[in-house]
């Protein structure tokens, strides 16, 4: 495809997204199904521009007035992809596939793109959640939210159940990975240009041997909050596809017993094969359909209950910028109710002296500190302890790791990890201990 045709495809996909409010990947897949002529490079280019437009949707639309997604996409080519205004105008006017010639006013809007002082516009997030953003970040709101509108690196976890970190890093040279900061078992591939395809990590031998898993560094740090768990009894209560279950198994060194449960059996399905590939031998998957009694038998016996709670996913807006424009207040209220429920459920499994680790991939105080405050008020046999101490107890922080993570500590003793502070997705991590 010519670039003019690619841009026209981007505009069609974004118009479909705006109309239906489906996930962006659904809108792209629906377009691709009817556009068999598009090759892999075309699809990568189109997806990259769609994502960039959505990362900066509010500021692009505000700066270009009534131009809608057509002018926003063309403006992104200039401001984010570095094309000159003349090149953008030539591309737009190209027949027969271009999206249409630019007027002089449109060229001016693309060239100038004035900055709006409004916080939610200049920092590109929904105005609907401006109160939540300010509550979480205060004077740092603009800086933090601009980082959530940037492209994300690709992070990998080196699986020490299958190989050494040195050997895994050596095997990742072909995809451009280097040791990541802060955690000794993490690697990082710098974010590719938006028009390029990401390195195909899942087809390299190291991945298929179970030496590496794709996992954001923030998610890896959250898993470390389980602490020193070798030989422990650990329950991953909201295991989903098992990314943190596998990280916990590696942290345990295949010693002790790890249970993985999710109330939706379909989410657990990938974990069976993932655990086999990763060399996990101490995992028992508790299926909600057939193993409910087995779950009940764990009550009061767990050293650690890990709660990767359902949430709005605001912390993943770098990777899924479409999600921030689809989020509603009603969804936030539903997630808060689910978080209260899962915290209450988790409490019954923690033994005296045991710990509960509460994690969300959200930066909203409403989903984090507020939920924990309510839980602690109703469950006075639990107290909050410093999450950073448990992470340090894992033994996997680098020399600079503790100092860097300490910048994310809240007055509650929890952590709010962000891309502006750590270069990770947004995560909240808290540790509660049950009194003996």
């Amino acid at each position: 495809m010519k670039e003019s045709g690619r841009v026209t495809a981007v505009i069609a996909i974004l118009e479909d997204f705006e109309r239906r409010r489906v996930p962006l990947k659904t809108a792209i897949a629906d377009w691709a199904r009817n556009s068999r002529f598009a090759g892999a490079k075309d699809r990568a280019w189109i997806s990259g521009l769609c994502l960039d437009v959505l990362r900066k949707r509010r500021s692009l639309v505000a700066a270009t007035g009534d131009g809608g997604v057509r002018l926003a996409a063309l403006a992104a080519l200039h401001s984010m992809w570095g094309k000159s205004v003349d090149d953008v105008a030539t591309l737009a006017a190209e027949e027969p596939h271009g999206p249409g010639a630019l007027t002089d006013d449109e060229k001016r809007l693309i060239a100038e793109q004035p900055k709006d002082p409004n916080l939610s516009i200049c920092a590109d997030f929904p105005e609907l959640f401006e109160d939540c953003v300010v509550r979480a970040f205060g004077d740092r709101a603009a800086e933090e939210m601009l980082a959530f509108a940037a492209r994300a690196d690709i992070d990998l976890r080196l699986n020490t159940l299958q190989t050494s970190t040195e050997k895994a890093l050596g095997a990742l040279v072909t995809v451009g990975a280097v040791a990541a900061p802060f955690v000794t078992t993490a690697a990082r591939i710098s974010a590719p240009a938006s028009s390029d395809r990401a390195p195909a990590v899942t087809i390299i031998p190291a991945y298929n041997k179970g030496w590496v898993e794709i996992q954001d560094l923030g998610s890896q740090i959250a898993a470390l909050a389980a602490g020193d768990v070798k030989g422990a009894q650990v329950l991953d209560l909201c295991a989903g596809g098992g990314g943190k279950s596998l990280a916990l198994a590696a942290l345990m060194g295949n010693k002790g017993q790890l249970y993985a449960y999710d109330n939706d059996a379909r989410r657990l399905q990938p974990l069976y094969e993932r655990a086999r590939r990763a060399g996990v031998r101490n995992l028992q998957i508790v299926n909600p359909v057939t193993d409910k009694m087995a779950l009940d038998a764990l009550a009061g016996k767990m050293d650690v209950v890990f709660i990767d709670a359902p949430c709005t996913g605001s912390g993943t807006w770098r990777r899924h910028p479409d999600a921030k424009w689809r989020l509603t207040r009603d969804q936030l209220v539903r997630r808060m109710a689910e978080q209260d429920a899962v915290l209450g459920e988790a409490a019954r499994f923690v033994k005296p002296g045991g710990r509960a680790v509460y994690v969300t991939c959200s930066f909203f105080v409403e989903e984090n500190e507020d939920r924990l405050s309510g839980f602690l008020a109703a469950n006075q046999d639990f107290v909050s302890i410093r999450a950073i101490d448990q992470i340090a107890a894992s033994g996997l922080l680098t020399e600079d790791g503790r100092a860097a993570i300490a910048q994310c500590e809240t007055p509650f003793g929890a952590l709010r990890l962000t891309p502006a502070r750590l270069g990770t997705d947004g995560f909240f991590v808290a540790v509660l201990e049950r009194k003996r």
Side-chain angles (χ1 to χ4, degrees):
M1 294 176 67
K2 291 186 175 181
E3 280 197 359
S4 56
R6 289 172 171 177
V7 174
T8 298
V10 167
I11 294 168
I13 290 167
L14 291 175
E15 287 175 342
D16 182 39
F17 168 79
E18 295 282 351
R19 183 173 58 254
R20 293 196 291 157
R21 280 295 190 268
V22 294
L24 178 64
K25 65 180 181 181
T26 300
I28 292 174
D30 290 345
W31 173 85
R33 196 173 297 114
N34 298 310
S35 307
R36 303 289 186 181
F37 53 82
K41 289 185 178 179
D42 296 319
R43 293 193 298 274
W45 194 100
I46 289 165
S47 176
L49 184 55
C50 284
L51 288 166
D52 272 353
V53 172
L54 291 179
R55 287 186 177 102
K56 300 284 188 178
R57 174 178 174 268
R58 274 214 89 193
S59 60
L60 287 169
V61 170
T64 54
D66 297 327
V69 296
R70 169 181 169 274
L71 206 55
L74 294 169
L77 284 174
H78 171 60
S79 64
M80 302 178 74
W81 287 35
K83 290 185 179 293
S84 71
V85 175
D86 287 342
D87 286 344
V88 173
T90 300
L91 183 154
E94 187 174 286
E95 297 288 349
H97 302 298
L102 293 170
T103 67
D104 288 341
D105 281 346
E106 288 177 329
K107 291 178 184 177
R108 177 181 55 78
L109 288 171
I110 288 175
E112 294 177 358
Q113 293 187 43
K115 297 296 182 183
D116 193 299
N118 180 286
L119 174 62
S120 60
I121 293 176
C122 74
D124 279 288
F125 64 90
E127 184 178 17
L128 185 64
F129 295 101
E130 188 162 328
D131 59 329
C132 297
V133 168
V134 172
R135 189 177 177 207
F137 298 126
D139 293 342
R140 290 176 53 90
E143 176 188 353
E144 293 283 358
M145 296 315 297
L146 284 170
F148 276 108
R151 299 176 195 136
D153 297 323
I154 301 167
D155 291 335
L156 307 170
R157 182 178 59 79
L158 311 179
N159 180 21
T160 52
L161 294 179
Q162 294 285 51
T163 190
S164 67
T165 56
E166 294 79 10
K167 194 170 182 180
L169 278 171
L172 292 171
V173 171
T174 56
V175 290
V178 298
F182 313 139
V183 176
T184 60
T185 53
R188 172 166 285 176
I189 302 170
S190 296
S194 287
S195 58
D196 295 338
R197 299 176 68 183
V201 175
T202 58
I203 66 172
I204 64 174
Y207 180 86
N208 290 299
K209 292 176 182 177
W211 292 5
V212 297
E213 289 283 343
I214 299 172
Q215 187 175 27
D216 180 77
L217 180 59
S219 180
Q220 296 182 50
I221 292 170
L224 298 186
D228 182 1
V229 285
K230 286 186 174 66
Q233 298 288 303
V234 179
L235 169 62
D236 186 357
L237 188 59
C238 307
K244 292 188 181 68
S245 298
L246 300 182
L248 289 168
L251 194 59
M252 297 170 74
N254 266 335
K255 298 175 182 178
Q257 184 66 53
L258 172 62
Y259 302 89
Y261 174 84
D262 196 281
N263 61 11
D264 186 342
R266 293 169 297 181
R267 294 195 196 111
L268 288 168
Q269 191 58 42
L271 182 52
Y272 292 91
E273 172 57 23
R274 294 182 73 186
R276 183 203 63 76
R277 189 182 72 241
V280 176
R281 298 190 303 274
N282 68 332
L283 174 65
Q284 180 178 328
I285 299 175
V286 183
N287 190 299
V289 178
T290 59
D291 302 332
K292 187 63 177 174
M293 290 181 64
L295 180 68
D296 291 339
L298 304 180
K301 298 179 180 178
M302 295 296 101
D303 296 296
V304 174
V305 177
F306 198 93
I307 311 159
D308 192 3
C311 68
T312 58
S314 60
T316 68
W317 284 353
R318 294 188 307 165
R319 302 181 193 279
H320 307 291
D322 56 312
K324 62 182 171 181
W325 309 117
R326 294 188 294 113
L327 184 61
T328 67
R329 280 284 182 173
D330 285 344
Q331 289 172 329
L332 173 58
V333 170
R334 287 198 295 272
R335 297 295 91 79
M336 288 159 57
E338 291 167 354
Q339 290 150 6
D340 289 339
V342 76
L343 272 166
E345 172 72 356
R348 72 187 183 97
F349 297 103
V350 183
K351 74 179 188 181
R355 302 184 301 279
V357 182
Y358 178 79
V359 175
T360 71
C361 51
S362 169
F363 59 80
F364 292 161
V365 174
E366 290 80 0
E367 296 185 87
N368 298 316
E369 288 97 330
D370 286 357
R371 307 278 59 79
L372 292 175
S373 294
F375 173 81
L376 291 171
N379 297 269
Q380 296 188 13
D381 56 335
F382 281 86
V383 294
S384 175
I385 61 175
R386 295 182 73 197
I388 196 169
D389 290 340
Q390 297 305 311
I391 293 171
S394 73
L396 297 183
L397 285 184
T398 65
E399 188 173 324
D400 298 328
R402 181 166 185 132
I405 293 172
Q407 300 176 53
C408 304
E409 193 167 29
T410 73
F412 193 77
L415 300 170
R416 183 175 282 103
L417 315 179
T418 69
R421 291 170 177 167
L422 286 188
T424 68
D425 283 352
F427 281 90
F428 180 84
V429 186
V431 183
L432 308 176
E433 186 173 74
R434 188 166 212 155
K435 298 175 184 176
R436 294 185 181 276

